[in-house]
């Protein structure tokens, strides 16, 4: 995804999560979080069986990550 599905300051969009579960999504990779402190708002980790991961290039210091 380009944009995060939600952030830590807003209620998590459970409809979005339910749609992902309906289609058996196991991993959600997203970006579009820019700036030195913006990553602090990012939600990462497992929520209802779906692993969320921020992969914005500036957050990763423009380094590749291995996705299994």
């Amino acid at each position: 995804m380009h944009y995060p599905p939600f952030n830590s300051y807003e209620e998590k969009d459970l409809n979005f999560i339910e749609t992902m579960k309906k289609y058996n999504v196991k991993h959600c990779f997203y970006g579009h979080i820019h700036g030195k402190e913006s990553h602090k708002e990012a939600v990462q980790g497992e929520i209802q069986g779906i692993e969320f991961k921020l992969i914005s290039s500036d957050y990763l210091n423009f380094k590749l990550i291995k996705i299994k």
Side-chain angles (χ1 to χ4, degrees), residues 28-52:
C28 178
F29 303 99
Y30 65 92
H32 197 89
I33 294 182
H34 305 290
K36 292 181 180 182
E37 301 296 318
S38 298
H39 69 277
K40 291 182 179 180
E41 297 179 22
V43 174
Q44 296 197 78
E46 186 178 324
I47 299 172
Q48 295 189 30
I50 302 169
E51 187 71 26
F52 292 87

Side-chain angles (χ1 to χ4, degrees), residues 14-64:
L14 298 179
N15 288 328
F16 187 82
I17 291 174
E18 289 304 316
T19 299
M20 294 175 86
K21 287 171 55 177
K22 177 181 175 181
Y23 292 98
N24 203 28
V25 172
K26 298 295 181 198
H27 303 278
C28 178
F29 303 99
Y30 65 92
H32 197 89
I33 294 182
H34 305 290
K36 292 181 180 182
E37 301 296 318
S38 298
H39 69 277
K40 291 182 179 180
E41 297 179 22
V43 174
Q44 296 197 78
E46 186 178 324
I47 299 172
Q48 295 189 30
I50 302 169
E51 187 71 26
F52 292 87
K53 179 90 173 147
L54 171 63
I55 58 169
S56 182
S57 58
D58 51 348
Y59 173 69
L60 297 175
N61 200 26
F62 297 91
K63 295 181 180 178
L64 298 175

